Amino acid sequence: MPISPLYSLLIILVVAVTTFFTRFLPFAVFPKNKEIPRVVQFLGKALPPAVIGMLVVYCFKAMKVTAFPFGLPELLAGAAVVLLHIWKRNNLLSIGVGTILYMVLVQTVFA
């Protein structure tokens, strides 16, 4: 069943408003002249490494080391991400190259 243009437009509008609201909310709750609570400061420092750790666990959770290709695509792409990030310090570059490398490996080299 085809989706109507109006329905697609409404979806885009809801996503845009939601994205704008989540970006605007912290500035509305914590104006410049108001001190940010210590718990929010702690969460701002603790959550990014925790989220990255969870993403790493999620990426490697289905890796099969007992059957071909023995987790090589995942390990090679993961090593590429780490090395590229140490070298360039660019999240977008390291994650993008790692994702592309992984897809090339699983679809061509280890297919």
Side-chain angles (χ1 to χ4, degrees):
M1 179 165 96
I3 297 175
S4 73
L6 178 62
Y7 185 73
S8 297
L9 192 60
L10 286 174
I11 290 174
I12 292 169
L13 181 65
V14 168
V15 170
V17 168
T18 304
T19 301
F20 175 78
F21 182 73
T22 58
R23 301 292 191 265
F24 168 76
L25 188 62
F27 296 102
V29 173
F30 303 113
K32 284 187 178 184
N33 58 354
K34 189 176 180 184
E35 186 176 337
I36 298 172
R38 292 178 57 82
V39 68
V40 174
Q41 290 177 1
F42 170 76
L43 290 173
K45 290 182 176 129
L47 284 180
V51 169
I52 296 297
M54 290 299 295
L55 286 172
V56 169
V57 169
Y58 178 78
C59 288
F60 289 113
K61 73 177 173 65
M63 186 170 66
K64 293 187 179 19
V65 294
T66 58
F68 182 81
F70 308 106
L72 284 176
E74 292 89 347
L75 293 173
L76 291 172
V81 168
V82 170
L83 293 173
L84 193 56
H85 189 72
I86 289 171
W87 178 39
K88 289 292 186 178
R89 297 275 183 216
N90 185 323
N91 292 337
L92 184 61
L93 178 67
S94 57
I95 293 171
V97 169
T99 302
I100 292 168
L101 175 63
Y102 174 75
M103 295 310 292
V104 167
L105 289 173
V106 297
Q107 293 182 8
T108 58
V109 178
F110 296 105

